[in-house]
Amino acid sequence: MTVDYADVVIAGGGIAGASAACKLAAGGLSVVLLEKQEEYRDLVRGEWLAPWGIREAQRLGVYDCFGAGGGWEIREWMTWDEAVTEDEVEAVDMTRFIPGIGGPMSFPHHQVCELMAAQAVDSGARLVLDAARVTVTPGREPVVSYQTEEGPQEIRARMVLGATGRGNTVGRQIGVRMRNSMHHWGGGMMVEGMDGWPADVQAMGTEGDVMFMVFPQGYGRARLYLNFPTVNKLRYRGPGGVERFLAAFELDCLPDRGKAVTEAVPAGPLSVWPSVSSVPEGPPLTEGVVLIGDEAGNADTVLGTGLSCALRDSRTVCDILLGGDDWSPAAFAPYLEERDFRLERLDFGASIISRLHVEFGPAATERRRRVRKLMAKNFAAQVTGLLNMVAPEDVPEFGFSEFFAERLFRETA
């Protein structure tokens, strides 16, 4: 068995792990980044970064990876919905929420991760691809074991960052339990040939029994998402699933009944998943191990803030590691406090968005119609929508109260 030593071992080479490797290696620490894939490929992961997440990427020094990896600015947001008449459809300017940042960014996830990993290597980190059976033993001198083609490997470190995503590979090993809840299912696929779709316009809406999202990535490419009831979880699986997925965008609410989407060509795998909210029941860390990104807990994917949170986690933890020699659990109290606050707000906001946009039938349609009227009369009722654009701490507090939720839905019952 080969035994190595490092200041920090990072299990998981996604956005959270790779960005942390870049920051820590650039700061002079010895870093080993473990990634289970033999090469980065499209696994249908989040590919939308909110303006506040873009600011986090800049602070981490990884912003250029997004641009070089195909990052595409989206400037407008359109809502086409069965509860919205044609003359009510309007574009929301998404470039105005954070001065100097611009609109959100859409990008190929795997390409950006690959560039981040390369940047980390250029800064002195060691990247290990195809790292299997990762085992973490916490403690004052944590040990990470894993398997490669060369056989079993072991690294002794000062700190381990768990960034393996929703699989919670590291979290389960250190005893971090999650409180999971599921409201609906989701699915996603990359397509090309969408030249008839406005290149800088993202869209969402609900019709029938699907809630759809379209995120352009430039040059006729786009990531498509559907959210749908749990009873339909098998609808897009098996033979013909891709065709059924694309056909679901043939909607009366979309221009030309969605022709620009339904005639697109698949350019990646179709993946479906239970859209789960995971809240840690205790601190997402122990002696010698800290969890970041989705592994530390996450809100429902319908909110679209997962990558922004991953970058915030990465930056906050890296600042602590680079800021002094105290790497004890107590040193990460500011991280835990801020993250608990953030996740509570995002989880609350996601529950409102799910109830509003990912519930189906006549009553749900009427609810959306009346909520739109309420929001048109009272701008404050739109506060939850700010979570897609600005950081949770910058959203007015009243938008996270049970009173607000009850009032919002009671007035539209």
Side-chain angles (χ1 to χ4, degrees):
M1 175 186 293
T2 303
V3 180
D4 291 325
Y5 300 87
D7 291 320
V8 181
V9 177
I10 303 173
I15 294 293
S19 63
C22 290
K23 181 74 171 178
L24 295 175
L29 297 179
S30 58
V31 178
V32 177
L33 178 63
L34 304 177
E35 169 54 42
K36 67 179 180 180
Q37 298 180 85
E38 187 176 357
E39 60 181 15
Y40 285 100
R41 59 187 185 278
D42 183 6
L43 297 177
V44 192
R45 296 294 187 265
E47 294 183 328
W48 187 89
L49 192 62
W52 68 275
I54 293 174
R55 185 167 57 187
E56 294 294 342
Q58 293 173 343
R59 291 170 172 171
L60 277 162
V62 298
Y63 175 76
D64 289 346
C65 294
F66 288 92
W72 187 264
E73 183 186 21
I74 303 177
R75 302 182 64 82
E76 294 184 340
W77 180 342
M78 305 287 290
T79 297
W80 283 290
D81 190 286
E82 62 189 352
V84 180
T85 63
E86 186 174 349
D87 61 345
E88 290 177 326
V89 175
E90 60 182 4
V92 176
D93 179 6
M94 296 193 294
T95 67
R96 60 184 173 85
F97 289 94
I98 300 182
I101 296 295
M105 188 181 297
S106 184
F107 55 90
H109 187 283
H110 59 295
Q111 292 179 195
V112 172
C113 288
E114 184 175 16
L115 287 172
M116 279 191 192
Q119 178 177 316
V121 170
D122 289 343
S123 296
R126 181 161 69 90
L127 172 65
V128 180
L129 295 170
D130 200 20
R133 301 176 187 173
V134 174
T135 302
V136 175
T137 303
R140 295 190 63 180
E141 295 182 353
V143 178
V144 179
S145 303
Y146 62 97
Q147 191 82 19
T148 68
E149 289 184 349
E150 288 74 34
Q153 312 289 323
E154 184 176 286
I155 308 176
R156 299 182 181 275
R158 293 179 59 199
M159 176 61 64
V160 176
L161 299 185
T164 65
R166 292 173 181 261
N168 298 108
T169 300
V170 177
R172 284 184 281 109
Q173 293 181 36
I174 66 171
V176 175
R177 297 181 179 275
M178 294 289 176
R179 184 175 69 254
N180 298 320
S181 61
M182 182 182 67
H183 182 270
H184 56 272
W185 275 61
M189 183 173 66
M190 176 67 71
V191 296
E192 55 189 19
M194 277 186 51
D195 302 293
W197 187 273
D200 60 351
V201 174
Q202 73 175 40
M204 64 172 284
T206 306
E207 181 176 314
D209 61 359
V210 295
M211 183 266 201
F212 67 89
M213 297 177 176
V214 179
F215 297 108
Q217 294 190 0
Y219 310 103
R221 291 175 65 88
R223 179 68 77 181
L224 306 178
Y225 292 104
L226 290 177
N227 293 296
F228 45 91
T230 57
V231 295
N232 295 337
K233 64 182 182 180
L234 301 179
R235 175 181 289 179
Y236 306 108
R237 293 184 180 273
V242 169
E243 291 75 15
R244 292 191 294 274
F245 185 87
L246 286 175
F249 286 84
E250 186 175 331
L251 301 167
D252 291 333
C253 66
L254 282 172
D256 201 14
R257 300 205 70 232
K259 185 177 180 180
V261 182
T262 59
E263 294 185 355
V265 179
L270 168 64
S271 180
V272 297
W273 56 82
S275 194
V276 176
S277 168
S278 299
V279 178
E281 294 183 341
L285 56 70
T286 190
E287 183 79 45
V289 182
V290 177
L291 308 183
I292 60 175
D294 281 348
E295 184 149 26
N298 49 78
D300 192 311
T301 57
V302 73
L303 196 57
T305 55
L307 295 183
S308 299
C309 280
L311 292 169
R312 169 71 67 86
D313 288 354
S314 176
R315 179 182 64 82
T316 305
V317 169
C318 287
D319 285 347
I320 293 171
L321 293 174
L322 293 171
D325 293 329
D326 182 5
W327 291 6
S328 67
F332 295 91
Y335 167 62
L336 298 180
E337 182 179 0
E338 186 278 327
R339 195 180 205 284
D340 286 347
F341 170 85
R342 174 172 22 116
L343 185 56
E344 181 179 7
R345 286 196 161 195
L346 293 176
D347 196 46
F348 186 87
S351 69
I352 290 181
I353 292 175
S354 293
R355 183 179 175 188
L356 190 57
H357 296 288
V358 200
E359 293 186 1
F360 311 98
T365 303
E366 183 61 22
R367 181 193 303 147
R368 289 195 306 279
R369 182 176 292 114
R370 293 180 180 177
V371 163
R372 284 185 60 83
K373 291 181 180 178
L374 175 62
M375 289 180 174
K377 293 178 181 178
N378 184 357
F379 180 77
Q382 303 180 31
V383 65
T384 307
L386 291 174
L387 283 171
N388 293 111
M389 297 293 121
V390 304
E393 65 270 15
D394 294 329
V395 178
E397 184 177 358
F398 71 84
F400 303 97
S401 67
E402 291 296 336
F403 172 79
F404 170 77
E406 291 173 5
R407 184 171 183 271
L408 181 68
F409 290 110
R410 184 178 70 244
E411 292 193 23
T412 62

